[in-house]
Amino acid sequence: HEIEQLMYRYATGIDTADYDLVDSAFTDDGEIDYAGIGGPQGRWRGEVREWSETSLAAFPVRKHYLTNVVVSYADDRGSATAVTYWRSPMGFARADGTIHLFESGGRYLDQLVRTDGGWRIAVRVTAQDWFSGTLPPELAGDAPG
């Protein structure tokens, strides 16, 4: 249950632009790999967080739905791995005021550690398994100029 709540805390932070809440999901040196969704990889605190704040500001619609959290604990129960399915409708704000909707889904592949403050993500890899719709031309590189 604690690990499920950890996953929800991350998703809620991303969806509401509460990056301090996202911080609370990671260890101080936690790493994330967004390459599977076209983003950077590295430590969450710093460049990856800054990239998330900047790039996600263009998406007034973002919802992460999480399911199928499967956890495998280490023998000492001080660490674990988890696979969590995600589905995410996204809406890009266009200059004309309309919203361009698309959706994707995949898995979070996590290495977790138990800390004095509870479970935290030490390493997260985002694997996109499917995509529905199209990227707006502004993001696909087809925009003029």
Side-chain angles (χ1 to χ4, degrees):
H1 178 72
E2 289 178 36
I3 291 174
E4 286 178 332
Q5 293 302 308
L6 173 68
M7 302 304 160
Y8 301 149
R9 191 165 69 237
Y10 167 86
T12 299
I14 292 291
D15 290 344
T16 62
D18 183 344
Y19 295 100
D20 291 335
L21 185 60
V22 179
D23 281 354
S24 76
F26 286 93
T27 59
D28 290 342
D29 61 350
E31 297 179 14
I32 190 161
D33 182 345
Y34 280 144
I37 58 169
Q41 57 188 29
R43 295 206 191 283
W44 165 255
R45 288 178 173 86
E47 287 184 29
V48 179
R49 176 182 164 154
E50 291 170 16
W51 174 86
S52 294
E53 290 181 43
T54 302
S55 62
L56 291 177
F59 295 89
V61 176
R62 54 183 188 247
K63 297 290 179 241
H64 287 76
Y65 300 99
L66 306 181
T67 64
N68 301 44
V69 179
V70 177
V71 179
S72 299
Y73 295 94
D75 289 341
D76 67 359
R77 298 192 59 92
S79 63
T81 59
V83 176
T84 304
Y85 292 3
W86 56 268
R87 180 178 188 160
S88 182
M90 301 286 286
F92 179 79
R94 296 180 132 160
D96 66 4
T98 62
I99 301 291
H100 180 104
L101 294 172
F102 57 94
E103 185 174 14
S104 61
R107 295 160 288 131
Y108 293 128
L109 310 171
D110 294 319
Q111 295 176 26
L112 309 168
V113 295
R114 187 189 305 265
T115 71
D116 291 341
W119 286 98
R120 297 291 184 267
I121 301 166
V123 178
R124 166 164 280 181
V125 175
T126 303
Q128 182 173 292
D129 295 328
W130 58 271
F131 188 92
S132 179
T134 61
L135 286 175
E138 297 90 337
L139 296 180
D142 298 333

